[in-house]
Amino acid sequence: MSIENLVTSLELSKKLKEAGVPQRSVFYWECEYNINKLVAKKIVYKYEIVPDIVPTEMKIRYGNEVFYYSAYLAGELGELLPSGTKLWRRNFWFCETFGGSKLIFTDLEAEARGRMLLWLIKNKYVRVEELK
């Protein structure tokens, strides 16, 4: 199984960052703009990023701006979800927590957990300030 199937998608990673979710993960999407469109170049291990550059910021490489977004693993998102959150899978993911329940149509656990976290934030069941 490739790393892309174990982490949140670039689209979801970007939404989580915009929502204020802490950018702490083992892997990051490394992206740059190409003709005004954000393009994922690759997923990098956090220690592959130049140490003096904070991964959540951009840097200049070969004249291009490079941006980083946390590519969360399912376990990393499990630590951010409220305790008591339950997820199980049949043909889709079903998530249940104190704030309610939600059906999530995806095959990937990290994507399901990330979408649930985003839903909880948008519906004000979780405050980003309280995330670890």
Side-chain angles (χ1 to χ4, degrees):
M1 181 177 283
S2 69
I3 189 66
E4 288 84 0
N5 293 326
L6 299 174
V7 299
T8 50
S9 66
L10 172 59
E11 179 183 336
L12 179 58
S13 295
K14 187 176 176 188
K15 288 178 183 178
L16 289 167
K17 183 176 181 178
E18 290 167 354
V21 176
Q23 296 292 289
R24 292 187 307 264
S25 60
V26 174
F27 296 101
Y28 291 84
W29 285 101
E30 183 178 270
C31 310
E32 63 183 36
Y33 277 96
N34 186 356
I35 311 175
N36 297 326
K37 182 179 178 188
L38 190 66
V39 177
K41 293 184 65 176
K42 61 183 176 177
I43 294 178
V44 294
Y45 184 56
K46 70 178 177 180
Y47 296 111
E48 291 178 49
I49 300 170
V50 179
D52 61 339
I53 300 293
V54 177
T56 58
E57 297 174 353
M58 67 92 175
K59 64 180 180 177
I60 305 296
R61 184 189 304 149
Y62 308 117
N64 296 327
E65 294 179 338
V66 180
F67 299 87
Y68 293 94
Y69 299 91
S70 283
Y72 298 100
L73 294 162
E76 293 170 332
L77 290 164
E79 293 177 7
L80 296 175
L81 287 167
S83 61
T85 301
K86 299 176 188 172
L87 283 95
W88 60 94
R89 182 174 183 222
R90 296 287 184 253
N91 294 330
F92 52 85
W93 283 93
F94 184 77
C95 301
E96 184 176 68
T97 189
F98 63 89
S101 58
K102 181 170 178 57
L103 295 178
I104 300 175
F105 295 95
T106 181
D107 292 332
L108 309 174
E109 185 177 0
E111 195 75 3
R113 289 176 183 258
R115 288 184 195 176
M116 183 63 172
L117 180 60
L118 192 59
W119 181 82
L120 289 168
I121 292 168
K122 285 184 176 182
N123 289 285
K124 305 200 184 320
Y125 293 113
V126 170
R127 294 178 32 178
V128 276
E129 298 84 21
E130 296 170 354
L131 294 176
K132 301 175 191 175

